[in-house]
Amino acid sequence: MRNEAFTGAAFPMRVTPPLLSCYDEGMYYGDHVDLPIMQGRPPVRTDLAATLFLSESENYDGGELIIGSDLLSHKIKLDKGDVVLYPAETTHRVETVRSGRRLALIFWVQSFVRHADRRALLSELAYLESQWASVAPKASPDMRLRRIRATLMRMWADT
């Protein structure tokens, strides 16, 4: 929650406890979409899924996270400490680990902003706001961007 890139993209309202994922040689997880609601107190609507890689990528062969369909997919294999955040309704899988051990933490996020397109717009506005502030710190458009982003959050955020 202290990572600005994560909070700026996810707008987290609730986050599930992490689940340790361990794949040894020959293990994989086939195509699936995540449950829409994770039970807990309180339950969490799974707007986003996150994979935090715990193994260095060179310590195992295979085990890529594939996000998307066969027509358009992204193959992801990151280093220890890196995280990938993606819509939980996206089809995804873990390829077979050919050697070594793949460790990761998996968790889900219920966002204050339910719709992915709205989260993307708010993230872009925050980026523009930060860029403007670094170029022209005393300029008034910075305040206008902040006001627009705050207004959209009021319109779109669940509480």
Side-chain angles (χ1 to χ4, degrees):
M1 298 299 272
R2 288 180 277 187
N3 183 295
E4 288 182 28
F6 171 75
T7 57
F11 302 95
M13 177 192 296
R14 294 188 183 100
V15 177
T16 65
L19 175 69
L20 180 62
S21 170
C22 177
Y23 291 83
D24 288 317
E25 187 175 329
M27 297 175 73
Y28 65 94
Y29 199 115
D31 280 338
H32 66 285
V33 295
D34 294 331
L35 294 171
I37 306 287
M38 292 290 179
Q39 294 305 314
R41 292 181 188 235
V44 175
R45 185 186 66 236
T46 57
D47 298 321
L48 297 161
T51 300
L52 171 62
F53 290 83
L54 299 178
S55 301
E56 293 293 351
S57 60
E58 68 266 7
N59 290 346
Y60 62 98
D61 187 36
E64 295 88 354
L65 174 63
I66 309 295
I67 301 173
S69 67
D70 288 336
L71 297 175
L72 180 62
S73 64
H74 301 280
K75 185 182 281 194
I76 299 165
K77 186 173 180 180
L78 302 175
D79 282 322
K80 182 178 181 179
D82 291 336
V83 66
V84 61
L85 188 65
Y86 53 96
E89 73 270 8
T90 307
T91 301
H92 56 283
R93 68 181 180 271
V94 176
E95 295 283 83
T96 303
V97 172
R98 293 184 292 276
S99 66
R101 172 176 281 176
R102 176 191 187 269
L103 292 173
L105 289 178
I106 315 300
F107 60 95
W108 292 267
V109 177
Q110 179 173 334
S111 179
F112 277 108
V113 182
R114 180 185 300 239
H115 302 283
D117 57 343
R118 293 175 180 178
R119 281 193 305 271
L121 285 171
L122 289 165
S123 292
E124 284 295 313
L125 282 171
Y127 173 78
L128 290 173
E129 185 181 327
S130 71
Q131 292 302 301
W132 190 279
S134 68
V135 172
K138 304 241 184 239
S140 62
D142 176 47
M143 182 56 72
R144 295 178 93 175
L145 283 172
R146 195 172 306 140
R147 184 180 55 77
I148 290 167
R149 191 164 58 94
T151 299
L152 291 174
M153 273 298 287
R154 285 185 190 94
M155 289 170 51
W156 294 340
D158 297 328
T159 57

